[in-house]
Amino acid sequence: RITIRNLLARKLRLLLSGLAVVLGVMFVAGAFVLTDTLGRTFDSVFATAYSEIDVVVRGKSKLHVNEFEGENVPSNLPASLVDKVSTLPGVASATGVVSADGARVIGKNGKALASYGPPQLGGNWVDSDTLIDLREGRAPTKDDEIVVNAAVAKAAKLSVGDRVGVLTLEPKREFTVVGIYGYSGGRDSIGGVQEVLFTTPVAQRLMLGEPDVFSSVVVDAADGVRPTTLRDTIAQALGDEYIVKTGEELADEESQSLKEGLAFFNNILLGFAAVALFVGVFLILNTFSIIVAQRTRELALMRAVGASRRQIVAAVLTEAVIIGLLAAVLGLGAGIGVGAALAAIFSAFSDLELAAIGVPLTAVISAFVVGLLVTIVAALLPALR
């Protein structure tokens, strides 16, 4: 009772004692909230991107990088592979697709559009792509015609009929915008990706560097054929030279690659947390040393009227536990706010549609473990003295 009355009588001391712990807990909880939110966001992005795909055939990568470093560069596939795959049992259709990073649209200000993370893809127009919704104009039919997604059109202020420069593997070339498209669900882009689509021959030359090749073959399964069964059939027919995966496998793989890159942000925030907690230990250690020194007569009086050593130590540690619990609750709340704010900033720069802000169990557990542990450790020495 005396311990609790002392805390209530000195509210400012209580607040200042826990402030450093609040900051430390805030960074720890914020790191887990941020990575959890972005992780679920990327899960949704890739699940959407591959939702209409049964099986994809790709060449083995020339260079493997994670999603934060750039786009993987698979080996080009010969156009004859499309015909070979289309004749296999269980295949309803096979479509050659060109898609590669590096198509930069020149805006009306004469500068290339910037991208803060998502790739700037160039590819070929595919009539059978059910994910794409042509909002204005028509598909490209001539070598100097392109269609762009709504994200590019808004960023570069483009309309159907405009002439625009595009940088690819070749120097700047002028094209006429004949169409603007979005994606199912009314989205302007998937994951903030800027995308330009050419006719197939032009896309092969400008994005892959050679004619009659594709970056992947998208395969639709016949009615009643499971994607995993079709994957195994195609893989057996093509051998080890090619990579064959279902759309679900590709979504999981690319999402996992991005989550590995998110560890970078997590480590930065945890680094701030470590510094705040390191400082917090000394602040609380000094605070409790001063508290014990100021209360020497009070504690001595308690000893004189019968309080044991254990009770005196327990009284000081009780204060530490109360401060730690309050700091953990406040730090967790602040951490959720910080994580949400950082996720919103990331979304604003990358045009990502964020998943709902979530509080993972790791954030809650770490907040209370860190808050209590740091405060108790810092209070233990002066309590024993």
Side-chain angles (χ1 to χ4, degrees), residues 82-104:
V82 178
D83 295 329
K84 181 178 180 179
V85 171
S86 64
T87 61
L88 295 175
V91 174
S93 65
T95 306
V97 173
V98 175
S99 182
D101 194 8
R104 294 177 293 162

Side-chain angles (χ1 to χ4, degrees), residues 29-46:
F32 288 113
V33 169
L34 172 64
T35 52
D36 175 77
T37 301
L38 293 184
R40 287 184 292 103
T41 297
F42 290 128
D43 283 342
S44 175
V45 167
F46 288 114

Side-chain angles (χ1 to χ4, degrees), residues 17-18 20-21 276-292 316-317 319-321 323-324 370-385:
S17 299
V21 182
L277 292 172
F278 182 75
V279 173
V281 168
F282 286 97
L283 287 177
I284 297 170
L285 181 63
N286 289 334
T287 299
F288 276 95
S289 296
I290 294 171
I291 290 172
V292 173
V316 179
L317 289 182
E319 289 192 26
V321 169
I323 291 173
V370 168
L372 282 172
L373 187 63
V374 169
T375 313
I376 290 172
V377 169
L380 187 60
L381 291 179
L384 292 174
R385 185 171 71 247

